[in-house]
Amino acid sequence: MKNFKIYTLLLVSACIAFSCDEEDKLINDILVENPIPVVQDPTGEPGGLDLSVYVSLGASITAGTKDNALYSHGQATSYPALLAGQFAADGVGGGAFNQPDINSANGYSGVDGTTIQGKYILDLDLNNDGELGDAGVVISEGELPSAYEGDKTMLNNFGVPGIITAQILTPATGGPDVEANPAYNGLYARFASAPGTSSIIKDAWDKDPTFFTLWAGGNDVLGYAASGGADPSRPLTDPATVSAQVNMIVDSLLSKAGHGLILTVPNVLVLPYFQAVPRVISVPEDSRTELLAGIQQINAAIAGWNDAVAGSGMERPLLSTDMNEYPLVIEDASLSDASVPDGSGGTFVIPKVRNIDPDAHSVFGVSELITLTASPKVSAGELGISPLAPLTNQYVLDFTEIAAILTNIQTVNTSMGATAVANAGRIAVLETFGLITEIAVSGGYDTGSYTLAPDFSPNGIYSNDGVHPNARGCAIIANEIIKVLNKPVAEGGFGATIPLLDVMQYNASPFQQ
């Protein structure tokens, strides 16, 4: 493997504390990707379901993206593939489940100059000094995706990385090309039945499904959140629009399938992507004297300004001087314009910066958040430490942006619940918002043998990009779907007895030490 790019993460030294038996299982046994386990002689019953032709629709998690790339092992352990494996248990009646294999061990995550990048790999000893506390991520050599060469009519997984809900419905998603069509998605075009003419929903409908899962709406908020709300090309999609599109998809599929299951939009704000970078740090000793002197000068200017405008509502917050527990400095355009005489006949314009609020507030339940993309900037001391080099908007979600995200998700999820009620007996719902929030708040997911962490350490459930679940996380999602399907009809299920997966038979994301 060739390493093209390295960036340091700030969370991992706090996440690599295992008990001895966990270390044996999670480090020694799973340094390479496990083969997909086969449960011996599972049995069950379908209840009121016909699972003979299962199709899945959604975005990157549905497709099997892990570690920021679509690669073969990630696809093979997608939650729909794992779910279909359980549907194929004796007595359950599931049929074949085919995916558009990318045929690449490292896959494709992007291009940096002329370098094609593959999956992210966690290096537990990035400095090669025998210490696990300096962990970081390296990016493997990848491959450009090629057209799917299998029989497209036999496909069951119609998950496409990067799409928003609208793109499930439009032929533009598959063609003709990115220059002529901004909605073009090459990862759908590679397996579309007729690129530029067919749509994801039509390809799935043509499969004549008897059962479907739909996980939509996530990217309609995630793009906005991941950009810190600062990228005008990645807005929040209007929730009424998303809700209408979900209903169109469900109505179309129910015209063929007897039953389906909707996964609600998850709470994206508890993903490691928004939780991994600490909001409060200990400033390195060799930086403290100069930093403190600069902060004191700015604070003196702020104090002078506050005296001049006292009671006007234009006051500015003083900056922290606590070098041991130092909240990172962020840009805040909403602060008032402020300036004071500089003592030499000129004017000192006080920068619009403040310390990030590290405390959770009951109205939102979360703090202001920093995106994972800020990690290398903070680690190198380039941004977030000095008031003259704050974390800019694209790296931060403030409370206004957080409120907009959560309101959007709640509105869409409420509509999904109404869709299920309107199709009672045919549509079930998995509430993923509550599921991943509970895992994050409680500190992990209890498998019965181990408690898996809500992060991308080797004992975590997320992949190395901080967004997509790893194979274990996908097994958890598949199990939670099965639990819903196994509920009695009166409780929103279908009375099935589909066997569950053993989560610990699946590997963490790739790492090395």
Side-chain angles (χ1 to χ4, degrees):
M1 181 190 73
K2 183 177 181 180
N3 298 331
F4 290 119
K5 184 178 179 183
I6 297 176
Y7 59 90
T8 303
L9 300 173
L10 300 177
L11 86 163
V12 183
S13 61
C15 297
I16 305 183
F18 312 127
S19 66
C20 293
D21 58 341
E22 284 178 311
E23 184 170 352
D24 288 341
K25 177 67 175 175
L26 301 173
I27 297 289
N28 297 329
D29 290 352
I30 314 179
L31 281 174
V32 295
E33 292 162 352
N34 286 350
I36 301 168
V38 176
V39 180
Q40 297 300 314
D41 298 322
T43 60
E45 295 182 358
L49 298 171
D50 178 354
L51 299 171
S52 57
V53 183
Y54 163 44
V55 299
S56 57
L57 293 88
S60 52
I61 298 178
T62 301
T65 296
K66 298 175 177 66
D67 309 304
N68 206 47
L70 190 67
Y71 63 97
S72 292
H73 186 78
Q75 287 184 292
T77 54
S78 68
Y79 78 84
L82 300 182
L83 192 62
Q86 301 308 101
F87 291 171
D90 185 37
V92 178
F97 189 84
N98 298 301
Q99 304 185 105
D101 191 354
I102 202 79
N103 289 315
S104 176
N106 290 332
Y108 172 76
S109 62
V111 177
D112 184 7
T114 60
T115 299
I116 301 170
Q117 299 176 324
K119 66 188 177 188
Y120 290 5
I121 297 174
L122 181 64
D123 190 333
L124 302 182
D125 182 14
L126 193 63
N127 293 334
N128 199 30
D129 58 6
E131 299 293 331
L132 297 185
D134 55 7
V137 166
V138 296
I139 304 179
S140 65
E141 182 176 4
E143 301 175 84
L144 288 174
S146 58
Y148 176 64
E149 296 181 354
D151 185 346
K152 296 177 182 179
T153 67
M154 299 300 291
L155 292 174
N156 299 79
N157 191 343
F158 298 93
V160 178
I163 61 168
I164 61 174
T165 306
Q167 290 177 281
I168 296 175
L169 295 161
T170 173
T173 308
D177 59 64
V178 69
E179 292 183 359
N181 170 26
Y184 173 80
N185 185 299
L187 293 175
Y188 170 53
R190 66 179 292 270
F191 72 87
S193 62
T197 302
S198 63
S199 64
I200 296 169
I201 182 63
K202 183 62 164 56
D203 282 351
W205 191 86
D206 284 345
K207 184 67 178 178
D208 291 330
T210 61
F211 177 79
F212 68 89
T213 57
L214 171 66
W215 200 353
N219 282 346
D220 293 272
V221 295
L222 183 59
Y224 173 86
S227 70
D231 185 349
S233 70
R234 305 171 79 182
L236 285 169
T237 307
D238 174 62
T241 299
V242 176
S243 298
Q245 290 162 350
V246 168
N247 281 329
M248 289 176 64
I249 296 166
V250 169
D251 287 346
S252 176
L253 292 171
L254 283 180
S255 70
K256 285 283 184 82
H259 302 88
L261 179 138
I262 301 171
L263 295 90
T264 64
V265 182
N267 182 0
V268 299
L269 301 178
V270 301
L271 296 174
Y273 187 92
F274 300 101
Q275 298 291 330
V277 181
R279 292 172 284 277
V280 178
I281 67 168
S282 176
V283 176
E285 291 288 343
D286 58 359
S287 301
R288 292 188 176 192
T289 300
E290 182 179 358
L291 176 63
L292 189 58
I295 290 173
Q296 288 171 336
Q297 287 183 329
I298 292 179
N299 276 348
I302 293 173
W305 169 261
N306 288 347
D307 286 343
V309 300
S312 69
M314 298 174 64
E315 295 87 349
R316 289 282 204 91
L318 294 173
L319 299 173
S320 174
T321 57
D322 186 344
M323 299 290 101
N324 293 318
E325 295 186 8
Y326 183 71
L328 294 175
V329 179
I330 65 173
E331 181 180 74
D332 186 348
S334 71
L335 294 173
S336 62
D337 293 330
S339 61
V340 295
D342 64 4
S344 59
T347 299
F348 172 69
V349 177
I350 303 172
K352 291 189 175 186
V353 298
R354 62 175 172 83
N355 297 106
I356 196 167
D357 189 341
D359 299 321
H361 293 256
S362 58
V363 65
F364 300 128
V366 294
S367 306
E368 292 184 297
L369 300 172
I370 301 172
T371 67
L372 189 59
T373 52
S375 177
K377 302 292 186 181
V378 176
S379 297
E382 295 176 11
L383 295 178
I385 312 279
S386 167
L388 302 181
L391 283 168
T392 47
N393 291 340
Q394 70 264 35
Y395 298 115
V396 180
L397 284 174
D398 63 27
F399 286 120
T400 300
E401 292 161 339
I402 287 170
I405 291 166
L406 292 178
T407 300
N408 187 295
I409 294 173
Q410 182 182 30
T411 302
V412 172
N413 285 349
T414 299
S415 175
M416 288 180 176
T419 297
V421 170
N423 294 280
R426 297 187 68 189
I427 293 292
V429 176
L430 174 59
E431 299 283 358
T432 67
F433 186 100
L435 173 65
I436 73 163
T437 301
E438 174 60 25
I439 291 172
V441 170
S442 65
Y445 185 90
D446 186 2
T447 68
S449 301
Y450 304 96
T451 297
L452 298 175
D455 57 36
F456 51 96
S457 64
N459 64 335
I461 63 173
Y462 289 97
S463 70
N464 294 327
D465 55 35
V467 173
H468 302 95
N470 59 23
R472 289 182 192 143
C474 286
I476 289 169
I477 294 169
N479 273 352
E480 295 299 323
I481 291 173
I482 291 170
K483 290 176 185 177
V484 173
L485 302 181
N486 287 353
K487 287 181 178 180
V489 174
E491 297 177 15
F494 300 112
T497 57
I498 303 164
L500 296 173
L501 295 133
D502 180 356
V503 171
M504 289 310 298
Q505 293 299 310
Y506 295 87
N507 61 291
S509 278
F511 62 92
Q512 59 195 30
Q513 62 177 347

